[in-house]
Amino acid sequence: MSFIKNAQTLVRENIREYGMFIALFIIMATFTVTTNGIFISSRNIVNLVNQTGYIAVLAVGMTLVIVIRHIDLSVGFLAGFLGAVAAIALVSWHLPVYAAIMVVLVLGILAGLLTSFLVAQMGIPSFVATLAGWLGYRGAIQLITRSTGTIIIPNAAFNAIGNGFIPDIPDFGILPGIHKITLILGFLGIILYVTNEIANRRKMKSYEFEVMSFEMFALKLVFVSGLIGGIAWLLAGYQGLSWTAVVVLVVVIIYNFITTKTVLGRHIYAVGGNPEAAELSGISVKRLTHVVFGSMGMLSALSGILFASRLQSATTMAGTLFELDAIAAAFVGGVSAAGGVGKVTGAIIGALVMTSLTSGMNLMGIDISYQYIVRAIVLAAAVIFDVATRNTGK
Amino acid sequence: MKTTADTTPIVEMRNIKKNFGAVQALRGVDLALHANEVIGLMGDNAAGKSTLMKVLSGAYIPDGGEILIDGKKAHVNNPMDARRMGIEMVYQDYALANNLDVAANVFLGREAVRVKLGPIGVMDNRHMEQETKHLLNRLKIDISSVRLKVERLSGGQRQAVAIARATAFNAKVIIMDEPTAALSVAAIDKVLDLVRELKSQGSSIIIISHRLEDIYQVSDRMIVLRHGRKVSDTPVVGDIHEFREQVVAYMVGARDDFSEEEVA
């Protein structure tokens, strides 16, 4: 059967890309069985998405940092610190929500540029520079919350970012209790995806570039459409698309566009693949280091906002271990420690894998100590998978 | 042999000097490359071959001397300047990003842009892929798809991509630093064929090589450097054995055609 053969070669050639989808699918299926379906319930999936949000945005930034062969350990406490700044801006400075968010995002960019100054200008290894950041921001967050302790944020608009849902059209008889706007958005997403893929394939063919066989193409369309539809249906079954999910989607769409379609994105990957070659081609490695760490700082700020909003407060311990979750998510999502390889969309899947593990094991009531060990095994397995497919990936 | 003496050289380097601390890497070297000429640049290790070419390609700033392009004085301060003036260098280790595909490497640093959104340019991938395809066809380079990642290519294919990349933007001069080092015999022949193909299409080329056979096969003229000075600048004639003896004599210092000019 040529169809099965096609499918086999397709999977073999793209094993690195499909591996994490397969892993996510297995993890979700396993938890669905072990929790008697609670895991896959609308309510839990909505929660899962909201919990993934603040790690997912960090993982997106971290992916690019690792792609250019650096690491950023400071992002966790930077997120916590900037979340606390947001809380203070709202509570003590009485800034409006949008102003507080802008201030914090700008601070995030500045923090990122401070890191890149140390790394690119002073030539300090990013591991050390950001370890210093880890310590410094940890101190900073304790300093600004010392007099108050946990800062409660009494701002409904701000808290909606981490807890609220997009509005829905009023119920008019059909599909009661189902979030209709979410379904419509899911439907639009499918249409957009399918038409885009078909147009792409047609163009590729007209330019005589190789395309996958029609059966595989159709199967891919059905599969991805089903995935989008399924997720939309699940979300619609509870309260619909959360604002956190919207934020993450916007971040992913923008970053995916930049990394795959723009000169900037191409240069980021070139620097990751061969910094000397990039420099000789007239690409400024320093400039890109500033851009990537600046973006990481901004996404740390966003993560801090999402987390503070979700807890409706800023705590002294906010951001603890976020950096390791983000790094783990990036690696599970297919980023390579050697640099130059890794997709933004993979980071999201990686983040979903890591939060699914936590969520599923919590639902099963597994002891926290075992949870850490299981996550360690998954992270190690992801990197082993990366190395193994890299060597045989001829 | 064609006569080149009466035409303006496409590139001329005059009295180039370069010191690294107390070490005089180049002590006043002249080099003239004429249109559609292939020069073989030879010399022992540390003779100054690579340094001279790095000066021409903008990687080093010389301490003395001048560079003329088409008879006009040129200021080459960095590799991008050199590129803008049509001087392309193919580096010894190919200088390719292995994680990117062939088309991405050919256009690296010079991506075709479809739309500009502020500082961010949206790439025109289709244009770049088609141009790359045409380029590979024109140079008879055998690579099945321009979308193959470079890490999947053989050493010879990588060198071919590196050379193709140097020729993609109508370069006046292509400098190749040891293009056949670390290649199999079959791959070497392919690279030499590629050099001949480029010459037949009008390119002007300088090749640095340790392999005398390579220089002998493709070069019109050979220049030998020794201790930062030019000791020979002669057409490649005679059979390979004569050529080899001649080159070795220059390289070890037994012969020197420019010993008096050094004083001036």
Side-chain angles (χ1 to χ4, degrees):
Chain A
M1 280 297 289
S2 75
F3 177 73
I4 293 178
K5 240 182 159 178
N6 275 338
Q8 277 176 342
T9 45
L10 197 69
V11 170
R12 204 175 316 122
E13 281 175 5
N14 296 290
I15 185 73
R16 293 174 62 82
E17 213 165 305
Y18 296 167
M20 61 197 161
F21 284 102
I22 295 167
L24 181 62
F25 182 77
I26 291 172
I27 289 168
M28 289 192 144
T30 310
F31 284 133
T32 303
V33 173
T34 54
T35 61
N36 295 322
I38 298 172
F39 181 82
I40 205 74
S41 67
S42 289
R43 191 193 173 91
N44 191 54
I45 291 298
V46 166
N47 259 325
L48 186 71
V49 168
N50 280 1
Q51 272 170 28
T52 309
Y54 52 87
I55 296 300
V57 292
L58 284 180
V60 167
M62 191 64 75
T63 296
L64 297 188
V65 170
I66 299 174
V67 161
I68 64 163
R69 304 183 175 192
H70 287 298
I71 194 76
D72 195 336
L73 298 175
S74 69
V75 297
F77 285 121
L78 177 60
F81 169 63
L82 291 175
V85 172
I88 292 172
L90 290 167
V91 175
S92 307
W93 306 343
H94 304 291
L95 287 185
V97 173
Y98 69 89
I101 290 175
M102 288 312 292
V103 165
V104 167
L105 290 178
V106 169
L107 283 177
I109 293 173
L110 292 178
L113 292 179
L114 177 64
T115 309
S116 65
F117 175 78
L118 294 175
V119 173
Q121 241 64 39
M122 311 290 288
I124 298 173
S126 55
F127 184 89
V128 180
T130 61
L131 186 59
W134 186 93
L135 287 166
Y137 296 128
R138 183 170 198 177
I141 184 174
Q142 290 185 0
L143 203 64
I144 62 169
T145 55
R146 186 161 57 187
S147 57
T148 52
T150 297
I151 306 167
I152 304 291
I153 304 171
N155 187 314
F158 184 82
N159 291 339
I161 303 169
N163 300 288
F165 297 87
I166 61 170
D168 195 11
I169 45 176
D171 236 342
F172 48 86
I174 12 171
L175 297 171
I178 298 286
H179 198 277
K180 282 162 285 293
I181 293 284
T182 303
L183 274 191
I184 292 169
L185 284 177
F187 189 63
L188 288 178
I190 293 175
I191 291 178
L192 202 68
Y193 171 75
V194 170
T195 50
N196 192 28
E197 285 288 301
I198 289 177
N200 246 337
R201 184 182 159 89
R202 195 167 295 155
K203 266 189 213 149
M204 282 300 145
K205 266 189 151 167
S206 73
Y207 287 99
E208 293 175 352
F209 282 118
E210 62 273 38
V211 291
M212 61 172 90
S213 74
F214 180 75
E215 292 93 336
M216 289 319 299
F217 179 68
L219 194 69
K220 183 182 158 196
L221 286 191
V222 169
F223 181 76
V224 177
S225 303
L227 203 67
I228 301 175
I231 292 171
W233 177 256
L234 278 175
L235 296 180
Y238 186 52
Q239 287 176 308
L241 204 59
S242 63
W243 285 116
T244 301
V246 172
V247 169
V248 173
L249 276 177
V250 168
V251 167
V252 171
I253 289 169
I254 292 174
Y255 272 78
N256 192 44
F257 176 78
I258 288 176
T259 50
T260 58
K261 304 279 185 222
T262 70
V263 176
L264 175 65
R266 172 70 52 84
H267 288 182
I268 288 173
Y269 284 89
V271 166
N274 188 342
E276 294 81 16
E279 194 77 59
L280 286 171
S281 306
I283 299 168
S284 167
V285 176
K286 275 185 187 172
R287 190 185 136 252
L288 283 174
T289 309
H290 293 309
V291 170
V292 169
F293 275 102
S295 110
M296 181 78 259
M298 186 190 70
L299 292 175
S300 305
L302 188 57
S303 170
I305 291 169
L306 287 173
F307 189 67
S309 160
R310 183 167 169 73
L311 295 190
Q312 310 190 4
S313 61
T315 70
T316 329
M317 295 307 287
T320 309
L321 289 186
F322 282 15
E323 66 283 346
L324 295 185
D325 277 335
I327 292 168
F331 276 113
V332 172
V335 79
S336 167
V341 178
K343 287 185 179 174
V344 166
T345 42
I348 296 297
I349 303 298
L352 268 175
V353 165
M354 294 316 277
T355 2
S356 294
L357 281 177
T358 315
S359 161
M361 288 190 290
N362 278 339
L363 286 177
M364 288 172 67
I366 293 177
D367 184 343
I368 187 81
S369 353
Y370 291 116
Q371 292 200 16
Y372 277 118
I373 294 169
V374 170
R375 285 160 72 187
I377 293 168
V378 169
L379 173 60
V383 181
I384 291 169
F385 180 77
D386 167 62
V387 173
T389 54
R390 176 160 286 267
N391 291 342
T392 57
K394 258 261 159 184
Chain B
M1 285 306 300
K2 57 187 163 47
T3 53
T4 47
D6 50 348
T7 56
T8 312
I10 190 163
V11 164
E12 195 174 357
M13 304 178 81
R14 286 184 188 160
N15 200 23
I16 299 292
K17 291 180 180 150
K18 177 76 190 170
N19 304 325
F20 295 106
V23 181
Q24 289 180 289
L26 296 174
R27 316 176 181 212
V29 178
D30 298 330
L31 180 148
L33 174 71
H34 292 85
N36 201 18
E37 186 183 30
V38 179
I39 290 183
L41 186 57
M42 281 169 291
D44 217 337
N45 290 333
K49 314 179 293 281
S50 289
T51 309
L52 185 65
M53 288 304 105
K54 281 182 177 164
V55 167
L56 184 55
S57 69
Y60 290 157
I61 313 279
D63 297 320
E66 55 184 15
I67 297 173
L68 289 87
I69 295 176
D70 289 329
K72 287 188 282 286
K73 204 163 183 270
H75 295 279
V76 185
N77 294 320
N78 56 55
M80 286 321 279
D81 279 357
R83 268 191 166 183
R84 246 172 265 129
M85 296 171 198
I87 298 168
E88 289 278 346
M89 178 115 177
V90 180
Y91 292 90
Q92 190 169 356
D93 45 7
Y94 320 136
L96 300 173
N98 290 338
N99 58 330
L100 299 182
D101 66 21
V102 173
N105 268 288
V106 166
F107 279 85
L108 191 59
R110 292 182 284 206
E111 288 79 3
V113 170
R114 199 164 36 149
V115 202
K116 212 130 172 57
L117 306 171
I120 293 173
V122 181
M123 294 184 293
D124 189 346
N125 272 320
R126 212 142 29 230
H127 171 78
M128 292 193 278
E129 288 177 354
Q130 278 185 308
E131 286 294 307
T132 306
K133 231 172 160 179
H134 293 155
L135 181 69
L136 297 186
N137 285 340
R138 184 163 65 80
L139 299 178
K140 304 189 173 84
I141 295 171
D142 182 26
I143 291 174
S144 59
S145 164
V146 296
R147 289 198 183 162
L148 272 181
K149 286 191 177 173
V150 167
E151 64 193 359
R152 293 202 175 191
L153 302 180
S154 69
Q157 287 176 317
R158 287 181 202 198
Q159 185 60 275
V161 171
I163 293 172
R165 166 182 150 76
T167 62
F169 295 86
N170 301 318
K172 279 201 185 82
V173 180
I174 300 158
I175 306 164
M176 301 182 190
D177 190 357
E178 300 280 1
T180 54
L183 291 185
S184 67
V185 176
I188 288 174
D189 284 343
K190 284 227 161 131
V191 169
L192 295 181
D193 283 345
L194 182 51
V195 172
R196 286 191 200 98
E197 184 67 38
L198 285 172
K199 179 173 160 69
S200 77
Q201 292 178 16
S203 294
S204 315
I205 301 168
I206 303 175
I207 298 182
I208 302 177
S209 185
H210 271 100
R211 291 174 40 93
L212 306 183
E213 303 84 341
D214 296 355
I215 300 283
Y216 177 76
Q217 280 190 51
V218 298
S219 306
D220 302 311
R221 198 148 55 89
M222 63 137 179
I223 291 178
V224 182
L225 298 185
R226 182 174 149 78
H227 296 328
R229 281 181 49 247
K230 183 161 82 170
V231 293
S232 169
D233 190 342
T234 50
V236 174
V237 286
D239 69 20
I240 178 104
H241 303 291
E242 277 174 49
F243 176 74
R244 183 191 302 275
E245 273 173 34
Q246 197 188 350
V247 171
V248 171
Y250 283 118
M251 279 171 62
V252 299
R255 284 177 74 176
D256 188 342
D257 295 349
F258 296 92
S259 52
E260 284 128 15
E261 287 182 28
E262 223 259 313
V263 188

